[in-house]
Every structure is written in structure tokens, then in C-alpha cells.
Amino acid sequence: MTRRIAVVEDELTVGRVAELYGVTVRTLHHYDAIGLLRPSARSSAGYRLYTPEDLSRLAEIVVYRRLELPLEEIRGLLESGDAREHLLRQRDLVMARVDELHELVTAIDNALEKTMTDEQLSTQDMKELFGDSFEEHQAEAEQRWGDTDAWKESQRRTAAYTKADWEQIKTESDAMQATFGRLYDAGTPADHTDAMDAAETHRQHIERWFYQCPPAMHRGLGDLFGSDPRYNTMLPSPESAEWVRAAFHANADRQEHSATDSRD
């Protein structure tokens, strides 16, 4: 009787092993069929029984499967070393997964931070970002172009912009202003390639963020910068207004000539 109790404790049926190790009976039968884990004992009635050695092998298989290793790879690992080597290998695999999960958590945190900070800006936020003249320029722009398709397109597009979008717009605007200032201070002719390229960068900036701005329309913006002192804050200096206007005109001419040549 004592020996029979020991057998019950040390040798487990398929159903009992499945319950204890969180695997299905079908999985254990599959491991048996492919020779990955065969029960080493049988009951008097012929039922499969798993010994402690079998269960130790199963524990290793379970860990490797949790690491999503293929069964054939697991077979090779189990047949290529002793218990210590298996444990060290398992630890290395787990630590690699931990590092991967830490990187994933960091990526998620960054995404969450971006989501939480990408709120739309209020009028006060816009004034802080673009200066106190922001409201005045907005009102003037609406009065001038409120009925145009360009204004409607700009309003539609900017309504969805986040704080990060507006900060990017501001960064690009500052960079363009600095470029205009550098070229003007250096005495670069307004029809020089560098000046026209700077004007074209400005035109493409408008198209990327606000509305379609063909060369003729951009030429008109140049006239506005050159004639309306209220827009001097958008230029590197008030004295550069005429130079910027001329650069816009020169670039518009270049773009239109290029388009004509391509059609010919």
C-alpha cells in the first residue's frame, strides 16, 4: 500500500499533468507523438504516467514555449546540454525578452506623452507661440481672404493641428526668417538663386501646412509683405520688405517659366 501511494505521488497521469502545468491533454499527446516528451511509465491498466524526470523536461518545454520558440528548436536545446546549461539559456532568453518589453514600455510611454501633449492650442497659446500680433494678423487675413477657397482650406486644415504641429510650423518659420535675414544682410541680389530658393521654401511651407499657393498667389503675398507695415514682423527686418517682395517675384517668374518649358 505504501508503494502504491508513492507511485501516485511520483507518477502522474496525462490529465493531472495537464491540470498542474496549464497545458492541454491534446498538447501532451502531440509532444508524445513527435517524441518531444514521452511518458516514461505506464500504469497497470496501460495509461501513460509521467515521472519526475518527465515533469522536469516538461517544465523546460513550457518555459521555452512561453518564449515562443518552435518545437524543433526546443528539441535541439533540450538535447544539447545539461540542466545548468538549460537554466542559463532560459535565463538569457527571458532577460532578452525583459529588455524588449522595457523598450516597448518606453515606446508606449512616449506615444502616451505625445498624445497627452498634442492638444489643440488656444488663442492665448497661439499668441505666446507667434507673438501678440497673432490675433491682429488673423483678423486681417480673414477680412482680406475670408471668402476665398484658400482661406477655407487653411481653416479646415489648421483646425486639426496639435501643439506639436504648430511648434513645427513656428520652427520652420523662424528658420525661413533667419535665412532671409542672412541673405539680405549679405547683400545677396533678390534674383539670385539662393534668394529664389528661400522664397520657394516659403511657398512650399504654405502649401504643406495651409493651402495651395501657386507662384502667382505667392507673388501677391510678396506684394503684401512689401506694402503693408503690419506684416513687417514676419520679415527679418522692416528694411528687408522690398527685397523679400522682389525675391518672391523672381521665384514666381522662375517657377512659371519652368512650368511653361516643361509643357513645351
Side-chain angles (χ1 to χ4, degrees), residues 23-76:
V23 296
T24 65
V25 171
R26 182 177 180 179
T27 295
L28 292 173
H29 285 171
H30 179 61
Y31 291 169
D32 186 2
I34 65 175
L36 181 63
L37 176 64
R38 287 183 173 145
S40 300
R42 295 274 176 170
S43 68
S44 57
Y47 294 112
R48 298 178 179 87
L49 295 175
Y50 290 82
T51 66
E53 291 76 14
D54 298 332
L55 298 178
S56 177
R57 183 179 176 89
L58 176 59
E60 292 182 284
I61 294 173
V62 168
V63 172
Y64 285 135
R65 287 301 291 158
R66 289 184 64 184
L67 294 171
E68 301 178 0
L69 297 183
L71 294 179
E72 282 305 310
E73 185 173 344
I74 293 174
R75 185 200 305 274

Side-chain angles (χ1 to χ4, degrees), residues 158-203:
T158 58
Y161 286 172
T162 64
K163 181 178 180 180
D165 292 327
W166 285 114
E167 288 176 343
Q168 179 63 30
I169 290 170
K170 181 62 164 59
T171 298
E172 292 180 12
S173 297
D174 290 346
M176 289 186 292
Q177 190 177 62
T179 298
F180 283 133
R182 175 176 55 79
L183 294 173
Y184 176 75
D185 292 341
T188 306
D191 59 353
H192 188 277
T193 300
D194 290 345
M196 291 190 291
D197 287 347
E200 178 62 13
T201 297
H202 182 271
R203 189 183 73 83

Side-chain angles (χ1 to χ4, degrees), residues 140-159:
E140 170 68 14
E142 185 172 8
Q143 182 178 353
R144 283 177 179 266
W145 301 297
D147 294 330
T148 65
D149 291 338
W151 173 265
K152 293 173 183 177
E153 180 184 358
S154 177
Q155 292 299 103
R156 176 183 58 79
R157 292 171 63 179
T158 58

Side-chain angles (χ1 to χ4, degrees), residues 78-230:
L78 295 176
E79 294 174 355
S80 63
D82 59 22
R84 180 176 180 278
E85 290 177 348
H86 288 318
L87 289 172
L88 290 173
R89 188 179 296 113
Q90 288 173 343
R91 186 182 187 282
D92 290 341
L93 290 170
V94 170
M95 291 306 299
R97 181 61 58 84
V98 168
D99 291 340
E100 179 183 340
L101 291 176
H102 276 309
E103 292 177 0
L104 180 58
V105 169
T106 299
I108 292 173
D109 286 344
N110 290 338
L112 284 172
E113 182 179 356
K114 185 177 187 299
T115 299
M116 289 186 291
T117 57
D118 277 0
E119 71 279 3
Q120 294 183 350
L121 269 65
S122 65
T123 300
Q124 181 59 37
D125 293 331
M126 296 293 280
K127 289 174 64 176
E128 291 177 359
L129 190 61
F130 291 98
D132 292 335
S133 60
F134 169 77
E135 279 187 289
E136 181 182 349
H137 286 157
Q138 281 292 97
E140 170 68 14
E142 185 172 8
Q143 182 178 353
R144 283 177 179 266
W145 301 297
D147 294 330
T148 65
D149 291 338
W151 173 265
K152 293 173 183 177
E153 180 184 358
S154 177
Q155 292 299 103
R156 176 183 58 79
R157 292 171 63 179
T158 58
Y161 286 172
T162 64
K163 181 178 180 180
D165 292 327
W166 285 114
E167 288 176 343
Q168 179 63 30
I169 290 170
K170 181 62 164 59
T171 298
E172 292 180 12
S173 297
D174 290 346
M176 289 186 292
Q177 190 177 62
T179 298
F180 283 133
R182 175 176 55 79
L183 294 173
Y184 176 75
D185 292 341
T188 306
D191 59 353
H192 188 277
T193 300
D194 290 345
M196 291 190 291
D197 287 347
E200 178 62 13
T201 297
H202 182 271
R203 189 183 73 83
Q204 292 181 7
H205 170 82
I206 292 174
E207 290 201 333
R208 181 166 57 253
W209 291 104
F210 300 105
Y211 52 85
Q212 290 301 305
C213 185
M217 181 180 290
H218 199 240
R219 183 187 289 112
L221 287 178
D223 291 337
L224 179 64
F225 291 158
S227 63
D228 194 331
R230 289 174 297 181

